[in-house]
Amino acid sequence: RSKVAFSSREQIKDLLVRASELSANLSGASSEQEYKAKAAEIDQLIQQGVNVANTRLRGNFLFSGDTTLQQPFNANFDSNGKVTSVSYSGSADAPQIRIGEGETSILAVAATPQENGDIAGVLNYMIRMLDTMLEFDAEKVIALRTGSNLGGSFAETLPGETTIQLP
């Protein structure tokens, strides 16, 4: 379980890095068409991230806290099918395992409730990046990418930049 959870979190980080790479190359975009193509790829990365965040192992969701049968991440879509936000609807309690009659212990190999919520923050950060790209304003995208202390504990070093805290 811990290997699958770790691998899933790494996949989400990889998706974020790819989205960042796409947005970093905006100054080289030669047309609005190329801009839109990069934005469309980021939208696909976001949807893929939601799917990864809802990973199941043996029928249980990995990132739903102690409500392992409840899908933890829900994507909201606009009328064009674009993800507009991602919310975390799992439990704020860590998953537990029964160890005896009336006794339980926290399952230490699972993600913490804070990490679970941070995954939604990372996906929403990618959505903000996409929305900013669709304004066709490279300066705003750069400002978003290079912001410091954006909150959360899902830290990531983006290529060519200092470490930032992602929501």
Side-chain angles (χ1 to χ4, degrees), residues 37 63 76 85 92 110 125:
F63 302 113
N76 298 305
S85 66
Y125 174 81

Side-chain angles (χ1 to χ4, degrees), residues 127-156:
I127 292 167
R128 284 199 316 271
M129 188 183 303
L130 172 61
D131 290 343
T132 304
M133 283 182 67
L134 292 174
E135 293 177 19
F136 307 108
D137 187 338
E139 287 183 23
K140 284 184 179 180
V141 173
I142 291 168
L144 179 62
R145 288 185 72 247
T146 59
S148 61
N149 195 18
L150 298 172
S153 63
F154 201 96
E156 176 66 30

Side-chain angles (χ1 to χ4, degrees), residues 41-164:
E41 185 174 343
I42 291 176
D43 188 55
Q44 290 173 347
L45 293 171
I46 293 165
Q47 291 183 39
Q48 185 178 350
V50 172
N51 289 336
V52 171
N54 285 322
T55 296
R56 285 181 166 210
L57 179 64
R58 296 185 191 116
N60 295 313
F61 289 102
L62 290 178
F63 302 113
S64 62
D66 70 350
T67 56
T68 59
L69 298 178
Q70 177 179 331
Q71 179 175 305
F73 296 92
N74 298 300
N76 298 305
F77 297 87
D78 67 13
S79 60
N80 297 318
K82 180 188 155 301
V83 179
T84 57
S85 66
V86 176
S87 60
Y88 178 70
S89 60
S91 172
D93 297 321
Q96 298 188 8
I97 187 169
R98 185 177 171 176
I99 59 173
E101 185 70 34
E103 294 186 37
T104 60
S105 178
I106 292 176
L107 189 58
V109 296
T112 67
Q114 176 66 44
E115 289 170 331
N116 293 341
D118 287 348
I119 291 170
V122 168
L123 295 170
N124 283 307
Y125 174 81
M126 291 171 65
I127 292 167
R128 284 199 316 271
M129 188 183 303
L130 172 61
D131 290 343
T132 304
M133 283 182 67
L134 292 174
E135 293 177 19
F136 307 108
D137 187 338
E139 287 183 23
K140 284 184 179 180
V141 173
I142 291 168
L144 179 62
R145 288 185 72 247
T146 59
S148 61
N149 195 18
L150 298 172
S153 63
F154 201 96
E156 176 66 30
T157 303
L158 300 178
E161 297 178 355
T162 57
T163 299
I164 61 173

